[in-house]
Amino acid sequence: MALDKKGIAQRIAQELKNNTYVNLGIGIPTLVANYIPANINVEFQSENGVLGMGPFPISGNEDADLINAGKQTITTMPGAAIFDSAISFAMIRGRHIQLTVLGAMEVSENGDIANWKIPGKMVKGMGGAMDLVASSDNIIVAMTHTNRSGKSKLLKKCSLPITGINCISKIVSDLAVIEVSPEGFVLLERAPGVSVSDIVKSTDANLIINGDIPEMKF
Amino acid sequence: MINKEVKNISEAIMGVQSGMTLMFGGFGLCGIAENSIMALSKKEINNLICISNNAGIDEFGLGLLLKRKQIKKMISSYVGENVEFERQMLSGELDVDLIPQGSLAERCRAGGAGIPAFYTPAGFGTEVAIGKEERDFNGKPHILEHALVADFAFVKAWKGDCAGNLIYKGTARNFNPLMAMAGKITVAEVEELVPLGELDPNQIHTPGIFVQRIIKGEIFEKRIENRTVRK
């Protein structure tokens, strides 16, 4: 069965490495913070200017002066730091953040990502996404494998205006975990109960399949 | 000490004219110069070019200037959450220049720091790079982004003194220190205007040299755009 949003977030949480700095995008990526493995310590950065972001506040403790990049009220952890937007993007552009997780509308087999603009529709802007994808060594995309009309979001070439080129390392979708290698998409894992042929059918690009593909473990 | 204190908001925004380029600090509604925006929305000033990460919401923040059609062009990184903005943008009344958030921040910082332009990898290979000079450094492609400056910058801080020194609180800092540097005239509105000598010089975020006018804001509504609590 295909994973729900929580399942995707839970699988991505397994990619977190101990003592690293992580930037989570808006949407499914934000949910990753709910599934941090017990033995793993990570510091979350939000590009509006906070490192050491904590959980949402308890009701009544919301502070208008403390939000994340999704404009949600947040808290800070002991040891947190606050800074301006230029310092924040110095952390990002300077490659001090070890992992970036973000959503996408399309990913191509050479690692291009499109997630900011649909021609003909209201364009809201790229926010910090272009800076993040241009300067991160490890970018994981969290998304559904197909869009609402059933079309694959994993493509040979992006059809939408791109956010960054040749930058994605891995995709965790509702169907599969896929590595973006120099040779193209490599199928690593299947969602529980999803067959390899289901994944191939939903992928509009070449999929490299080496041997038996294990199911994701939770 | 050079005294930057102004007594009322009309004095704070004095000299703003139609067609000028204005910077507004803030991220969403967090850390915006509420009092200055409100005062500008009551003046007969239009054709403004506004540089701000976001464009407010329909009835608050820069949404107030949009509603009165005072803005000709917005330079921002993200402009959702605003129906009137969308209407003006789609009808062609409003010109919008969308730029990556980190490039926007650095362009303001560069403007204030006397750096005319810089190379960044952000936006390479995308439509943001169209018409921009490209150059490889250490085998990686970059694009040239130019500094931004403004006739006026409107910033909001937590505490300040009459010398113009500012301390921000929480993530209300965001673009404010950068825009403070990039304004020919920077107007700072603060929640608390404290007596000279009370702010610890070690803790100042924006040194007073970057601020030309400072005022204690009359009202800070500090709206929360996306109130989220633990379940």
Side-chain angles (χ1 to χ4, degrees), chain A residues 56-57 62 64-67 70-73 82 84-86 89 93 117 122 124-127 131 135 162-163, chain B residues 30 54 77-79 86 100-103 120-121 125-127 169-171 173-175 222 226-230:
Chain A
F56 297 127
E62 308 94 311
D65 290 329
L66 201 55
I67 62 168
K71 290 136 191 165
Q72 295 170 302
T73 42
I82 300 275
D84 67 51
S85 302
F89 282 92
R93 207 185 297 104
K117 184 174 182 178
M122 166 67 185
K124 292 184 171 183
M126 67 292 282
D131 309 89
S135 301
I162 59 169
T163 311
Chain B
C30 182
N54 314 92
S77 86
Y78 189 84
V79 293
E86 186 171 344
Q101 195 171 115
S103 299
T120 176
T126 76
E127 56 187 64
K169 182 167 164 276
T171 54
R173 190 178 325 180
N174 56 65
F175 283 82
K222 299 220 277 191
N226 196 350
R227 187 181 298 273
T228 311
V229 295
R230 223 173 292 178

Side-chain angles (χ1 to χ4, degrees), chain B residues 135-148:
Chain B
R135 189 167 158 184
D136 284 7
F137 293 91
N138 304 320
K140 294 207 172 83
H142 295 74
I143 59 173
L144 188 69
E145 291 281 10
H146 288 259
L148 289 168

Side-chain angles (χ1 to χ4, degrees), chain B residues 210-227:
Chain B
F210 296 118
V211 175
Q212 280 65 47
R213 301 173 190 173
I214 188 164
I215 183 169
K216 184 189 179 310
E218 204 169 312
I219 303 163
F220 286 103
E221 212 180 308
K222 299 220 277 191
R223 286 199 203 175
I224 294 175
E225 209 164 331
N226 196 350
R227 187 181 298 273

